[in-house]
Amino acid sequence: MDATLSDIHELQSNNPSEWGIDHSSPVFNALSNPYLQDDCIQVPDAASKEDDTTIVELAIRTALPPSTSTLYVDRSIYMQDVSRRESDRQFATNRHNASSLAPVDGGFGAWSFLFAAFLVELIVWGFPNAFGTFLDAYLRDPTYTSQKNAHLLLPMIGTMTSGIIYCSGPVTYPLIYRYPRYTRLSMWIGAAICFASLFGASYTTNIVNLVLCQGVLYAIGGSLLYNPCITYMNEWFISRRGLANGVISAGTAAGGLVLPLVLPNMIDRYGTAKTLRILAIVFSASLLPMLPFLKGRLPQAKVIGPSVKEDRKWTKNIGFRFVMIMNTLQGFGYFVPLVWLPSE
């Protein structure tokens, strides 16, 4: 006989074991599911309920159509909404960060940085450019000229200082970009090294110690001070970068102009040792108030960046090598008058 779902449910309310139906069987679970429609379900006739087994065959099971409830949300629509919300949040964050940055190419932050960088350039490059005044005093003092190789080592101090600072870029710039969070700290360390080098040189008369203090140590401190200024300049100035670069570079000329006019009188009055101590104190007193203004415009990175493997094929370029050779030859003609002219 044919039976509908209501008949099946009425049979289920009785003892199902009489019909040979197992509670745990998939067929019984299917019959108990109200969401299944049955077009033709064969159930045992009442006369055959004494049989050993009863075969219940589910001929056709058709699932109900999808629900039209308003609680159902398409997953693609949900993901689009999540993506839109994330984009809005990121846009708001970026707008907040952009509005919190100092203005570029102007404003107190840019101009105060430029003035501080100008002063750093004046001190770092002014001293080696004016070393000829110290060289003249050293060559007139028997305490130094009586030492071995004095006329060879003493002129090396100024050129060694300038040379180390010029050649420090391939070492310092990769470190600045790899460890940006330590850049400002390196500038404080550089200022301390410059002070210690001049102050320590004032207490020695040994030429080798003078070369190490005034030549090598001062150059290391100057490199830690000078190179970060060039890096930060690119953050503060974009359209006026040429102007900023010219102002900073003018510090070199200003130091080379002022110090050779001041140092000879100081050396004649106080001697080389006291003059070095005065310079160390004056330089430190001038740098320390300026260091807080020597900072980047962009937020400081707190993650150590990976080392970048650069493609160095350009070093094999014939044009590049030609320029480097000519630049080296030009250096021979540039540094000789730079060192000896202040002594005349």
Side-chain angles (χ1 to χ4, degrees), residues 249-279:
S249 299
T252 302
L257 175 65
V258 174
L259 292 181
L261 299 177
V262 177
L263 291 179
N265 294 330
M266 294 180 61
I267 293 174
D268 293 340
R269 184 176 180 178
Y270 303 108
T272 56
K274 288 186 177 180
T275 302
L276 285 173
R277 292 172 202 157
I278 294 173
L279 281 179

Side-chain angles (χ1 to χ4, degrees), residues 3-12 16 19-23 25-38 40-44 54-61:
T4 61
L5 277 177
S6 59
D7 298 329
I8 297 296
H9 294 160
E10 183 179 356
L11 291 174
Q12 289 176 357
W19 304 95
I21 300 175
D22 187 5
H23 286 277
S25 66
V27 176
F28 182 81
N29 293 332
L31 293 175
S32 302
N33 191 345
Y35 297 101
L36 295 178
Q37 292 180 343
D38 301 78
C40 181
I41 301 178
Q42 299 293 332
V43 297
T54 302
I55 301 176
V56 179
E57 179 182 358
L58 182 61
I60 300 175
R61 292 181 297 170

Side-chain angles (χ1 to χ4, degrees), residues 12 17 50 69 146 196 235 250 263 269 277 313:
Q12 289 176 357
S17 59
E50 294 181 355
S69 173
S146 60
E235 298 182 10
L263 291 179
R269 184 176 180 178
R277 292 172 202 157
K313 293 181 179 179

Side-chain angles (χ1 to χ4, degrees), residues 104 112 130 146 252 261 327 330:
V104 71
S112 60
S146 60
T252 302
L261 299 177
N327 190 44
Q330 181 268 345

Side-chain angles (χ1 to χ4, degrees), residues 21-249:
I21 300 175
D22 187 5
H23 286 277
S24 61
S25 66
V27 176
F28 182 81
N29 293 332
L31 293 175
S32 302
N33 191 345
Y35 297 101
L36 295 178
Q37 292 180 343
D38 301 78
D39 290 344
C40 181
I41 301 178
Q42 299 293 332
V43 297
D45 197 311
S48 61
K49 62 180 181 179
E50 294 181 355
D51 295 344
D52 294 335
T53 59
T54 302
I55 301 176
V56 179
E57 179 182 358
L58 182 61
I60 300 175
R61 292 181 297 170
T62 305
L64 292 174
S67 174
T68 57
S69 173
T70 56
L71 296 177
Y72 175 78
V73 180
D74 190 0
R75 181 174 177 81
S76 61
I77 299 177
Y78 171 76
M79 294 305 296
Q80 291 176 3
D81 183 67
V82 171
S83 178
R84 180 181 59 79
R85 291 175 181 267
E86 181 67 20
S87 300
D88 293 343
R89 187 187 65 81
Q90 188 66 30
F91 176 77
T93 302
N94 294 339
R95 185 172 58 181
H96 172 74
N97 293 338
S99 62
S100 63
L101 292 177
V104 71
D105 290 322
F108 177 78
W111 298 125
S112 60
F113 164 79
L114 190 61
F115 177 77
F118 170 84
L119 187 61
V120 168
E121 186 91 0
L122 186 151
I123 293 174
V124 171
W125 289 102
F127 178 75
N129 289 345
F131 176 75
T133 57
F134 282 95
L135 178 61
D136 183 60
Y138 289 147
L139 294 177
R140 289 187 284 107
D141 190 343
T143 305
Y144 300 100
T145 55
S146 60
Q147 299 182 37
K148 185 179 180 181
N149 298 324
H151 289 80
L152 175 64
L153 295 177
L154 287 173
M156 288 178 57
I157 297 176
T159 53
M160 183 176 293
T161 304
S162 300
I164 292 176
I165 297 176
Y166 272 118
C167 298
S168 64
V171 177
T172 56
Y173 284 119
L175 293 176
I176 290 174
Y177 288 115
R178 181 167 174 77
Y179 305 99
R181 62 184 304 182
Y182 300 112
T183 302
R184 297 192 67 190
L185 176 62
S186 69
M187 300 185 74
W188 288 91
I189 295 175
I193 292 175
C194 288
F195 170 81
S197 63
L198 297 180
F199 205 80
S202 67
Y203 286 97
T204 183
T205 56
N206 184 275
I207 296 179
V208 177
N209 292 335
L210 285 177
V211 172
L212 294 177
C213 290
Q214 284 185 268
V216 178
L217 197 60
Y218 183 87
I220 294 175
S223 300
L224 295 177
L225 271 170
Y226 165 72
N227 291 326
C229 292
I230 304 302
T231 303
Y232 287 149
M233 181 197 67
N234 296 327
E235 298 182 10
W236 285 106
F237 295 92
I238 298 178
S239 60
R240 294 181 176 178
R241 187 171 296 172
L243 172 64
N245 200 4
V247 171
I248 294 177
S249 299

